[in-house]
Amino acid sequence: MRVYIAAVLISIVPIAFPQTPAPPANSWQTSDKLGAMDLSALSPAQKQAVLKLTREQDCSCLCGMKVAECVNRDPNCSYSKALVATSPKAHRPKLLEDPVTIPVSGSPTRGPADARITLVEFSDFECPYCSVAVGEVNTIMTAYPKDVRLIYKQFPLSMHPHAPLAAAASLAANQQGKFWQMHDALFKNFRKLSRENILALAKEIGLDMDKFTADLDSPKFKAVIEKDLADGETAGVYGTPSFFVNGKHYNGPLALDSIKPILDAELKVAKPHQVATTN
């Protein structure tokens, strides 16, 4: 009888199995993952930079969440996935690719004209990764004041609604010899690139506002931006920022200790003007 009763009790009493607790709602703030996105190709420092930026940047799907939160909670959101997918150097296997020819005539330039290394940058003023790259590039230029020349090419991404206007603003500032001042101001304010804010930045850096406004509103820079975009696509640019060292697409971190061996190797073989660019 006792065996029968026990059997009946087992049949009617549900057995409690241990369950894995659901992750806390704010786990995206500390998680080292971004949904199902593969970040294994990034260096530890680069991964931390990507995680930090995606935790701070609003998702462009207007869900009210940060990119990291959205990509973890809504794996089907194409906006957050696209933002993570453009994280720098996540999918390219070679550190330095074969050289390609990049037209650079008329593009803004920093550094000596006879430098043995030409660093071509394709960038987007509304891209958070590009904003981080500014400081890294400045460190490189400071470390190689006689040997590195920087050439800037416009590559506004379609996911960034203010990027085309910001690109035009930088070119309008270039007409008054202040491209790099506007470049720095735009990247410092990459989250606030409304027309009103851009005009305020132009005034702060001392531009002739009548000329700047007229240039900004003219269609003359559209062709320049479209040409840079086409040049980038031809060269194999898939996201921003993208850098080419003497015409070779560089897919590693921009931190000086990472790129220094690449630059030093180039200096051993490169001669002035022997770069895969066209003027």
Side-chain angles (χ1 to χ4, degrees), residues 15-233:
I15 300 174
F17 293 99
Q19 297 182 352
T20 302
N26 63 346
S27 61
W28 60 272
Q29 296 177 340
T30 56
S31 174
D32 63 353
K33 301 183 185 302
L34 286 173
M37 306 302 294
D38 182 11
L39 303 180
S40 61
L42 300 177
S43 69
Q46 193 175 31
K47 182 177 178 180
Q48 287 305 310
V50 170
L51 290 170
K52 181 178 185 296
L53 287 167
T54 55
R55 290 168 186 162
E56 296 174 351
Q57 183 179 6
D58 295 332
C59 185
S60 55
C61 73
L62 303 180
C63 63
M65 294 187 286
K66 302 299 182 184
V67 173
E69 182 180 10
C70 187
V71 78
N72 280 300
R73 290 191 178 185
D74 184 6
N76 296 318
C77 175
S78 59
Y79 291 89
S80 59
K81 286 195 296 184
L83 287 166
V84 175
T86 57
S87 61
K89 323 304 181 288
H91 303 294
R92 289 187 175 272
K94 294 177 63 177
L95 184 62
L96 203 61
E97 299 181 14
D98 296 333
V100 295
T101 298
I102 304 172
V104 296
S105 178
S107 297
T109 302
R110 282 177 58 196
D114 62 349
R116 288 184 290 164
I117 294 176
T118 295
L119 192 64
V120 177
E121 174 184 3
F122 286 87
S123 199
D124 173 324
F125 285 110
E126 202 171 1
C127 167
Y129 310 119
C130 299
S131 176
V132 171
V134 172
E136 296 173 320
V137 171
N138 286 341
T139 299
I140 293 170
M141 300 292 289
T142 300
Y144 294 86
K146 297 180 180 179
D147 296 316
V148 175
R149 172 177 63 143
L150 174 66
I151 298 177
Y152 188 95
K153 300 273 284 182
Q154 309 284 352
F155 204 83
L157 299 172
S158 59
M159 69 181 67
H160 293 147
H162 302 104
L165 180 64
S170 72
L171 295 173
N174 193 43
Q175 297 288 300
Q176 300 185 43
K178 291 194 174 183
F179 173 85
W180 295 106
Q181 291 92 324
M182 179 59 82
H183 164 282
D184 291 348
L186 291 170
F187 275 125
K188 285 179 181 177
N189 296 273
F190 74 93
R191 296 183 188 279
K192 301 177 290 184
L193 295 180
S194 66
R195 178 184 172 86
E196 180 181 3
N197 288 338
I198 287 175
L199 290 174
L201 294 176
K203 187 174 182 179
E204 285 179 13
I205 65 175
L207 294 179
D208 178 327
M209 292 305 296
D210 290 338
K211 177 173 173 50
F212 176 78
T213 304
D215 286 341
L216 186 64
D217 291 338
S218 74
K220 61 184 177 181
F221 299 127
K222 183 179 179 181
V224 176
I225 296 168
E226 290 178 348
K227 177 67 166 52
D228 278 2
L229 281 166
D231 291 342
E233 290 169 358

Side-chain angles (χ1 to χ4, degrees), residues 114-118 143-149 245-246 248 259-272:
D114 62 349
R116 288 184 290 164
I117 294 176
T118 295
Y144 294 86
K146 297 180 180 179
D147 296 316
V148 175
R149 172 177 63 143
V245 178
N246 284 350
K248 304 166 190 174
I259 198 173
K260 189 176 189 303
I262 297 293
L263 300 179
D264 290 346
E266 285 293 314
L267 287 175
K268 291 179 181 179
V269 298
K271 295 180 181 179

